[in-house]
């Protein structure tokens, strides 16, 4: 026979799950244990199954206000969130003559990963001239399938720009300037800030 303490488990993306598969033979014959459909990155050794579901395991879901609430707590995500992927494992035990099959159900709950800002331009602390265009850009990475949103803030009274990782801005007045971009995935956000100087460009006469 073959058994496990639970035949159904709930686990969060990025968190390891492990459990013991027990096998018994009334004739004390040698028993071969195996899992027929192991997920990539999992292991099954000495009857112990181990796996850390990657963060992209749950790929088909929608965001909502409740999603944001759940994402603040691992307990709520595991117990309440409906964003999940079902993975069935098929364990078998064989004594060479007979084979016993044990299915185990894994409910993988989605865990949001904040977007990352990998690189940006220009360098911080630079000096630029008035009436000349300056290009700002952020290179980002999103681990979940959400589409990233961008909000560019050029200071009080200067307006905002949305929806693009690259903007071009021309400053007409000299002084110390600050530009901020917020990268959002609907649940988390990352911020990049540039501080720089704009100086008056002297007109040349011939």
């Amino acid at each position: 026979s073959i058994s496990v303490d639970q035949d159904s488990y709930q686990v969060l993306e990025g968190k390891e799950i492990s459990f013991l598969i027990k096998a018994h033979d009334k004739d004390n014959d040698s028993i071969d244990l195996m899992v027929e459909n192991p997920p990539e990155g999992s292991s099954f050794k000495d009857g112990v199954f181990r796996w850390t579901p990657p963060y992209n395991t749950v790929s088909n879901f929608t965001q909502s206000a409740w999603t944001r609430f759940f994402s603040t707590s691992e307990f709520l995500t595991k117990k309440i969130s409906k964003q999940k992927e079902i993975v069935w494992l098929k364990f078998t035990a064989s004594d060479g003559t007979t084979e016993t099959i044990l299915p185990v159900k894994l409910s993988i709950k989605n865990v949001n990963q904040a977007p990352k800002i990998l690189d940006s331009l220009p360098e911080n602390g630079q000096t630029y001239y008035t009436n000349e265009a300056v290009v700002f850009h952020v290179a980002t990475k999103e681990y979940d399938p959400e589409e990233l949103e961008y909000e560019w803030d050029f200071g009080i009274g200067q307006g905002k720009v949305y929806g693009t990782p690259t903007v071009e801005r021309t400053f007409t007045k000299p002084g110390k300037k600050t530009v901020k971009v917020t990268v959002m995935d609907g649940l988390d956000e990352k911020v990049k800030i540039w501080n720089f100087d704009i100086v008056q460009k002297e007109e040349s006469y011939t």
Side-chain angles (χ1 to χ4, degrees), residues 72-176:
T72 63
S73 166
E74 287 190 358
F75 174 81
L76 291 176
T77 298
K78 192 171 183 179
K79 297 298 183 182
I80 303 176
S81 175
K82 295 182 179 180
Q83 296 182 359
K84 63 184 178 181
E85 187 81 18
I86 302 300
V87 175
W88 283 97
L89 303 174
K90 183 180 178 182
F91 294 93
T92 61
S94 174
D95 62 4
T97 303
T98 60
E99 182 179 88
T100 304
I101 297 175
L102 174 67
V104 175
K105 178 182 177 181
L106 302 183
S107 297
I108 314 301
K109 294 297 186 77
N110 178 62
V111 174
N112 187 69
Q113 279 196 292
K116 284 190 176 182
I117 297 178
L118 303 177
D119 200 3
S120 63
L121 62 86
E123 293 185 10
N124 200 27
Q126 300 296 301
T127 299
Y128 303 98
Y129 289 116
T130 55
N131 300 311
E132 289 190 351
V134 182
V135 176
F136 299 89
H137 173 75
V138 285
T140 58
K141 183 173 183 178
E142 169 60 14
Y143 295 89
D144 292 315
E146 305 98 340
E147 182 177 352
L148 294 180
E149 300 177 2
Y150 301 86
E151 178 185 278
W152 293 86
D153 188 342
F154 297 94
I156 298 176
Q158 299 301 311
K160 296 183 178 182
V161 174
Y162 300 90
T164 174
T166 305
V167 296
E168 182 180 288
R169 195 74 169 185
T170 299
F171 300 88
T172 59
K173 296 181 179 180
K176 293 186 177 298

Side-chain angles (χ1 to χ4, degrees), residues 21-36:
I21 299 294
K22 304 172 185 177
H24 308 277
D25 186 85
K26 61 181 180 180
D27 298 321
N28 293 321
D29 291 333
S30 176
I31 299 176
D32 291 326
L33 279 174
M34 64 176 296
V35 54
E36 293 191 0

Side-chain angles (χ1 to χ4, degrees), residues 10-75:
Q10 290 190 2
V11 60
L12 301 179
E13 289 179 329
K15 297 290 186 179
E16 184 185 75
I17 182 173
S18 65
F19 51 84
L20 176 66
I21 299 294
K22 304 172 185 177
H24 308 277
D25 186 85
K26 61 181 180 180
D27 298 321
N28 293 321
D29 291 333
S30 176
I31 299 176
D32 291 326
L33 279 174
M34 64 176 296
V35 54
E36 293 191 0
N37 53 337
E40 184 176 355
S42 65
S43 66
F44 186 50
K45 184 177 181 181
D46 298 328
V48 178
F49 175 83
R50 298 183 186 276
W51 184 42
T52 301
Y55 283 100
N56 61 353
T57 302
V58 183
S59 58
N60 185 20
F61 60 87
T62 56
Q63 301 287 16
S64 66
W66 282 110
T67 305
R68 180 183 294 275
F69 178 66
F70 293 145
S71 69
T72 63
S73 166
E74 287 190 358
F75 174 81

